[in-house]
């Protein structure tokens, strides 16, 4: 579904360069994303996809270039700075805390505190339990209890918790690096549905996947990378899955 938001620019990367020692991992990459737009980011192993999104979410620093968010040039020096702007990332290798409960994972780094007579901040567990379950229901997941450790969830349920977290904190942009890896067909459909539902909320998202069928299905625009360079940037309607396979495969 197209919303009015879709012509409003959310993020713009200009002339991004990144070196890992001698390896020139990103070469003058330009990319923009509008509100409510899903960008499919594709490319072979080592093309630079994760490197690009790690710059956007503050895991790595760019060596040259600039990033604009909602019209202002920003310096995203660490993941907290990205979160503060409203950029939430679900990484290729999940960053969830496996031993911790669902509720703790939803609130990680942003735990609500309640203050006792001694003014020591205590975690407000009741609020976390209640709010985390509400957020999870909102993304259509049905989990028994906020106390289940994340390691006991299926892959799809874990992605659901991560997505619920980003929606709860009203992210403006969500980056998903290979969110459907190792998921069953049913779980994958669910994740693809979540991504679609973000559009209606005006959230911009970047979806990285090697599954070109999934990319073609959910994306509005497809950006292709090869050896650190952007090699295509086109509307989904202008291309077919077969075109993408020829381009990347
Ligand atoms: N932390 C790092 N230190 C050194 N080199 C790195 C680092 N991370 C990535 N690279 C290199 O940078 C290049 C781009 O890697 P990147 O992880 O961005 O690729 P990718 O497109 O995400 O690939 P994949 O599809 O396999 O996840 C590769 O040659 C990789 O070996
Ligand atoms: Mg990667």
């Amino acid at each position: 579904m197209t919303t009015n938001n879709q012509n409003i620019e959310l993020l713009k990367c200009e002339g991004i360069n990144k070196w890992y020692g001698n390896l020139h991992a990103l070469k003058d990459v330009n990319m923009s994303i509008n509100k409510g737009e899903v960008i499919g980011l594709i490319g072979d192993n080592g093309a630079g996809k994760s490197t690009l999104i790690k710059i956007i979410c503050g895991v790595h620093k760019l060596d040259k270039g600039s990033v604009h968010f909602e019209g202002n040039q920003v310096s995203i020096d660490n993941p907290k700075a990205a979160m503060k702007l409203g950029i939430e990332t679900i990484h290729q290798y999940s960053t969830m805390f496996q031993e911790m409960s669902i509720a703790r994972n939803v609130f990680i780094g942003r735990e609500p505190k309640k203050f006792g007579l001694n003014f020591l901040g205590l975690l407000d567990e009741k609020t976390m339990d209640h709010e985390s379950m509400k957020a999870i229901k909102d993304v259509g997941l049905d989990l028994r209890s906020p106390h289940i450790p994340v390691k006991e969830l299926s892959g799809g349920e874990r992605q659901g918790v991560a997505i619920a977290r980003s929606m709860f904190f009203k992210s403006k942009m969500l980056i998903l690096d290979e969110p459907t890896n190792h998921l069953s067909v049913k779980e994958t459909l669910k994740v693809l549905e979540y991504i679609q539902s973000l559009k209606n909320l005006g959230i911009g998202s970047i979806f990285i996947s090697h599954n070109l069928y999934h990319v073609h299905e959910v994306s509005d625009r497809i950006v292709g990378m090869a050896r650190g360079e952007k090699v295509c940037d086109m509307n989904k309607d202008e291309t077919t899955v077969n075109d993408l396979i020829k381009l990347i495969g």
Side-chain angles (χ1 to χ4, degrees):
M1 197 180 115
T2 307
T3 61
N4 296 334
N5 277 326
Q6 274 198 312
N7 298 321
I8 305 172
E9 190 171 81
L10 183 62
L11 176 99
K12 184 168 70 177
C13 297
E14 273 184 329
I16 305 288
N17 281 271
K18 174 75 188 168
W19 281 267
Y20 293 116
N22 290 330
L23 181 88
H24 198 176
L26 292 177
K27 301 170 188 163
D28 288 322
V29 175
N30 299 313
M31 189 182 72
S32 69
I33 169 167
N34 289 345
K35 290 190 178 179
E37 189 179 35
V38 181
I39 302 271
L41 185 56
I42 61 174
D44 213 347
N45 296 113
K49 306 178 298 295
S50 293
T51 301
L52 179 62
I53 63 105
K54 280 177 183 164
I55 286 173
I56 299 170
C57 70
V59 170
H60 289 324
K61 276 194 96 160
L62 53 81
D63 293 315
K64 200 173 142 214
S66 62
V67 179
H68 290 76
F69 194 74
E70 295 186 309
N72 301 312
Q73 186 166 346
V74 288
S75 164
I76 307 175
D77 294 327
N78 52 56
K80 260 229 149 99
M83 275 161 84
K84 236 178 161 172
L85 289 172
I87 301 171
E88 191 85 24
T89 309
I90 300 175
H91 286 283
Q92 186 165 12
Y93 303 104
S94 174
T95 41
M96 287 232 233
F97 295 89
Q98 305 297 325
E99 304 290 333
M100 285 190 189
S101 70
I102 293 171
R104 286 302 299 278
N105 268 285
V106 167
F107 282 96
I108 207 90
R110 291 182 276 214
E111 292 86 350
K113 298 258 171 72
K114 59 180 180 192
F115 291 91
L117 284 177
N118 54 7
F119 295 103
L120 282 178
L122 295 172
L123 292 186
D124 187 349
E125 294 196 14
K126 241 189 174 155
T127 303
M128 288 200 291
D129 288 353
H130 178 252
E131 296 295 329
S132 61
M133 284 320 265
K134 208 167 134 262
I136 281 160
K137 268 223 172 75
D138 284 348
V139 296
L141 258 183
D142 184 23
L143 299 176
R144 279 176 291 123
S145 147
H147 303 130
I148 307 172
V150 157
K151 67 176 178 195
E152 289 176 21
L153 300 179
S154 78
E157 288 168 342
R158 270 176 233 187
Q159 299 292 9
V161 171
I163 291 168
R165 175 170 66 191
S166 81
M167 288 169 83
F168 182 79
F169 287 103
K170 308 233 178 314
S171 302
K172 294 175 179 165
M173 180 169 159
L174 182 63
I175 301 171
L176 305 108
D177 195 350
E178 305 274 5
T180 53
N181 265 5
H182 313 300
L183 298 191
S184 71
V185 173
K186 212 167 136 195
E187 288 176 339
T188 298
L189 287 176
K190 193 105 213 170
V191 171
L192 298 181
E193 251 172 52
Y194 293 142
I195 296 172
Q196 283 292 331
S197 66
L198 302 177
K199 287 169 61 61
N200 302 334
L201 299 172
I203 298 173
S205 47
I206 300 179
F207 171 57
I208 301 178
S209 177
H210 284 279
N211 187 317
L212 300 175
Y213 294 92
H214 296 166
V215 171
H216 197 269
E217 176 157 348
V218 297
S219 306
D220 298 307
R221 195 145 58 80
I222 295 168
V223 171
M225 293 188 66
R227 293 171 298 280
E229 287 180 78
K230 185 167 92 170
V231 291
C232 73
D233 190 333
M234 53 203 171
N235 286 328
K236 186 252 284 284
D237 305 336
E238 296 165 357
T239 175
T240 64
V241 175
N242 278 337
D243 291 341
L244 299 179
I245 292 171
K246 274 190 217 133
L247 194 79
I248 300 298

PDB file of all heavy atoms in Angstrom, residues 44-51 53-54 92-93 177-178 208 210, ligand 2:
ATOM      1  N   ASP A  44      25.886 -10.017  -3.801  1.00  0.00           N
ATOM      2  CA  ASP A  44      26.583 -11.263  -3.474  1.00  0.00           C
ATOM      3  C   ASP A  44      27.245 -11.191  -2.091  1.00  0.00           C
ATOM      4  O   ASP A  44      27.350 -10.108  -1.521  1.00  0.00           O
ATOM      5  CB  ASP A  44      27.678 -11.455  -4.543  1.00  0.00           C
ATOM      6  CG  ASP A  44      27.888 -12.922  -4.831  1.00  0.00           C
ATOM      7  OD1 ASP A  44      27.379 -13.751  -4.048  1.00  0.00           O
ATOM      8  OD2 ASP A  44      28.561 -13.220  -5.837  1.00  0.00           O
ATOM      9  N   ASN A  45      27.723 -12.312  -1.600  1.00  0.00           N
ATOM     10  CA  ASN A  45      28.476 -12.321  -0.333  1.00  0.00           C
ATOM     11  C   ASN A  45      29.641 -11.356  -0.447  1.00  0.00           C
ATOM     12  O   ASN A  45      30.350 -11.348  -1.453  1.00  0.00           O
ATOM     13  CB  ASN A  45      29.036 -13.711  -0.024  1.00  0.00           C
ATOM     14  CG  ASN A  45      27.941 -14.739   0.203  1.00  0.00           C
ATOM     15  OD1 ASN A  45      27.782 -15.665  -0.580  1.00  0.00           O
ATOM     16  ND2 ASN A  45      27.182 -14.558   1.239  1.00  0.00           N
ATOM     17  N   GLY A  46      29.809 -10.529   0.580  1.00  0.00           N
ATOM     18  CA  GLY A  46      30.941  -9.614   0.596  1.00  0.00           C
ATOM     19  C   GLY A  46      30.737  -8.356  -0.225  1.00  0.00           C
ATOM     20  O   GLY A  46      31.665  -7.550  -0.388  1.00  0.00           O
ATOM     21  N   ALA A  47      29.517  -8.131  -0.747  1.00  0.00           N
ATOM     22  CA  ALA A  47      29.262  -6.955  -1.596  1.00  0.00           C
ATOM     23  C   ALA A  47      29.331  -5.645  -0.822  1.00  0.00           C
ATOM     24  O   ALA A  47      29.565  -4.584  -1.393  1.00  0.00           O
ATOM     25  CB  ALA A  47      27.896  -7.086  -2.267  1.00  0.00           C
ATOM     26  N   GLY A  48      29.072  -5.701   0.491  1.00  0.00           N
ATOM     27  CA  GLY A  48      29.128  -4.484   1.302  1.00  0.00           C
ATOM     28  C   GLY A  48      27.798  -4.112   1.951  1.00  0.00           C
ATOM     29  O   GLY A  48      27.670  -3.043   2.548  1.00  0.00           O
ATOM     30  N   LYS A  49      26.811  -4.991   1.854  1.00  0.00           N
ATOM     31  CA  LYS A  49      25.466  -4.693   2.372  1.00  0.00           C
ATOM     32  C   LYS A  49      25.489  -4.468   3.886  1.00  0.00           C
ATOM     33  O   LYS A  49      25.016  -3.453   4.393  1.00  0.00           O
ATOM     34  CB  LYS A  49      24.493  -5.843   2.041  1.00  0.00           C
ATOM     35  CG  LYS A  49      24.451  -6.203   0.570  1.00  0.00           C
ATOM     36  CD  LYS A  49      23.518  -7.363   0.295  1.00  0.00           C
ATOM     37  CE  LYS A  49      23.880  -8.686   0.961  1.00  0.00           C
ATOM     38  NZ  LYS A  49      25.153  -9.293   0.490  1.00  0.00           N
ATOM     39  N   SER A  50      26.054  -5.437   4.616  1.00  0.00           N
ATOM     40  CA  SER A  50      26.071  -5.298   6.082  1.00  0.00           C
ATOM     41  C   SER A  50      26.931  -4.111   6.494  1.00  0.00           C
ATOM     42  O   SER A  50      26.605  -3.412   7.462  1.00  0.00           O
ATOM     43  CB  SER A  50      26.609  -6.579   6.741  1.00  0.00           C
ATOM     44  OG  SER A  50      25.704  -7.644   6.547  1.00  0.00           O
ATOM     45  N   THR A  51      28.012  -3.871   5.762  1.00  0.00           N
ATOM     46  CA  THR A  51      28.875  -2.733   6.095  1.00  0.00           C
ATOM     47  C   THR A  51      28.089  -1.426   5.983  1.00  0.00           C
ATOM     48  O   THR A  51      28.162  -0.569   6.868  1.00  0.00           O
ATOM     49  CB  THR A  51      30.107  -2.707   5.164  1.00  0.00           C
ATOM     50  OG1 THR A  51      30.809  -3.935   5.315  1.00  0.00           O
ATOM     51  CG2 THR A  51      31.027  -1.549   5.490  1.00  0.00           C
ATOM     52  N   ILE A  53      24.833  -0.951   6.213  1.00  0.00           N
ATOM     53  CA  ILE A  53      23.813  -0.753   7.267  1.00  0.00           C
ATOM     54  C   ILE A  53      24.472  -0.586   8.646  1.00  0.00           C
ATOM     55  O   ILE A  53      23.926   0.076   9.511  1.00  0.00           O
ATOM     56  CB  ILE A  53      22.697  -1.834   7.224  1.00  0.00           C
ATOM     57  CG1 ILE A  53      23.236  -3.213   7.491  1.00  0.00           C
ATOM     58  CG2 ILE A  53      21.953  -1.799   5.916  1.00  0.00           C
ATOM     59  CD1 ILE A  53      22.903  -3.696   8.838  1.00  0.00           C
ATOM     60  N   LYS A  54      25.674  -1.150   8.806  1.00  0.00           N
ATOM     61  CA  LYS A  54      26.358  -0.944  10.094  1.00  0.00           C
ATOM     62  C   LYS A  54      26.780   0.518  10.257  1.00  0.00           C
ATOM     63  O   LYS A  54      26.896   1.021  11.374  1.00  0.00           O
ATOM     64  CB  LYS A  54      27.563  -1.870  10.209  1.00  0.00           C
ATOM     65  CG  LYS A  54      27.145  -3.278  10.623  1.00  0.00           C
ATOM     66  CD  LYS A  54      28.308  -4.219  10.675  1.00  0.00           C
ATOM     67  CE  LYS A  54      27.839  -5.622  11.020  1.00  0.00           C
ATOM     68  NZ  LYS A  54      28.862  -6.629  10.707  1.00  0.00           N
ATOM     69  N   GLN A  92      22.179  -9.390  11.192  1.00  0.00           N
ATOM     70  CA  GLN A  92      22.267 -10.692  10.519  1.00  0.00           C
ATOM     71  C   GLN A  92      22.413 -11.808  11.552  1.00  0.00           C
ATOM     72  O   GLN A  92      21.813 -12.851  11.437  1.00  0.00           O
ATOM     73  CB  GLN A  92      23.476 -10.644   9.584  1.00  0.00           C
ATOM     74  CG  GLN A  92      23.651 -11.834   8.688  1.00  0.00           C
ATOM     75  CD  GLN A  92      24.637 -11.516   7.558  1.00  0.00           C
ATOM     76  OE1 GLN A  92      25.337 -10.504   7.576  1.00  0.00           O
ATOM     77  NE2 GLN A  92      24.701 -12.383   6.571  1.00  0.00           N
ATOM     78  N   TYR A  93      23.267 -11.572  12.521  1.00  0.00           N
ATOM     79  CA  TYR A  93      23.413 -12.567  13.580  1.00  0.00           C
ATOM     80  C   TYR A  93      22.767 -11.928  14.802  1.00  0.00           C
ATOM     81  O   TYR A  93      23.253 -10.933  15.319  1.00  0.00           O
ATOM     82  CB  TYR A  93      24.892 -12.903  13.789  1.00  0.00           C
ATOM     83  CG  TYR A  93      25.501 -13.378  12.501  1.00  0.00           C
ATOM     84  CD1 TYR A  93      26.328 -12.555  11.744  1.00  0.00           C
ATOM     85  CD2 TYR A  93      25.172 -14.633  11.996  1.00  0.00           C
ATOM     86  CE1 TYR A  93      26.833 -12.972  10.518  1.00  0.00           C
ATOM     87  CE2 TYR A  93      25.666 -15.053  10.775  1.00  0.00           C
ATOM     88  CZ  TYR A  93      26.501 -14.223  10.040  1.00  0.00           C
ATOM     89  OH  TYR A  93      26.971 -14.633   8.834  1.00  0.00           O
ATOM     90  N   ASP A 177      18.663  -7.230   8.546  1.00  0.00           N
ATOM     91  CA  ASP A 177      19.739  -7.886   7.803  1.00  0.00           C
ATOM     92  C   ASP A 177      19.491  -9.390   7.835  1.00  0.00           C
ATOM     93  O   ASP A 177      19.666 -10.026   8.870  1.00  0.00           O
ATOM     94  CB  ASP A 177      21.097  -7.544   8.447  1.00  0.00           C
ATOM     95  CG  ASP A 177      22.268  -7.886   7.534  1.00  0.00           C
ATOM     96  OD1 ASP A 177      22.048  -8.547   6.496  1.00  0.00           O
ATOM     97  OD2 ASP A 177      23.412  -7.496   7.871  1.00  0.00           O
ATOM     98  N   GLU A 178      19.052  -9.930   6.730  1.00  0.00           N
ATOM     99  CA  GLU A 178      18.751 -11.373   6.600  1.00  0.00           C
ATOM    100  C   GLU A 178      17.774 -11.856   7.676  1.00  0.00           C
ATOM    101  O   GLU A 178      18.059 -12.833   8.367  1.00  0.00           O
ATOM    102  CB  GLU A 178      20.048 -12.198   6.717  1.00  0.00           C
ATOM    103  CG  GLU A 178      21.128 -11.809   5.748  1.00  0.00           C
ATOM    104  CD  GLU A 178      21.018 -12.495   4.402  1.00  0.00           C
ATOM    105  OE1 GLU A 178      20.026 -13.211   4.180  1.00  0.00           O
ATOM    106  OE2 GLU A 178      21.907 -12.293   3.574  1.00  0.00           O
ATOM    107  N   ILE A 208      17.486  -6.731   3.858  1.00  0.00           N
ATOM    108  CA  ILE A 208      18.589  -7.400   3.168  1.00  0.00           C
ATOM    109  C   ILE A 208      18.289  -8.892   3.111  1.00  0.00           C
ATOM    110  O   ILE A 208      17.976  -9.496   4.140  1.00  0.00           O
ATOM    111  CB  ILE A 208      19.930  -7.201   3.919  1.00  0.00           C
ATOM    112  CG1 ILE A 208      20.256  -5.715   4.027  1.00  0.00           C
ATOM    113  CG2 ILE A 208      21.050  -7.964   3.235  1.00  0.00           C
ATOM    114  CD1 ILE A 208      21.536  -5.427   4.794  1.00  0.00           C
ATOM    115  N   HIS A 210      19.252 -12.719   0.668  1.00  0.00           N
ATOM    116  CA  HIS A 210      19.741 -13.420  -0.526  1.00  0.00           C
ATOM    117  C   HIS A 210      18.578 -14.074  -1.261  1.00  0.00           C
ATOM    118  O   HIS A 210      18.753 -14.586  -2.356  1.00  0.00           O
ATOM    119  CB  HIS A 210      20.772 -14.478  -0.130  1.00  0.00           C
ATOM    120  CG  HIS A 210      22.101 -13.875   0.209  1.00  0.00           C
ATOM    121  ND1 HIS A 210      23.003 -13.501  -0.756  1.00  0.00           N
ATOM    122  CD2 HIS A 210      22.658 -13.550   1.394  1.00  0.00           C
ATOM    123  CE1 HIS A 210      24.076 -12.992  -0.170  1.00  0.00           C
ATOM    124  NE2 HIS A 210      23.889 -13.002   1.137  1.00  0.00           N
TER     125      HIS A 210
HETATM  126 MG1  LIG B   2      25.967  -9.337   5.428  1.00  0.00          MG
END
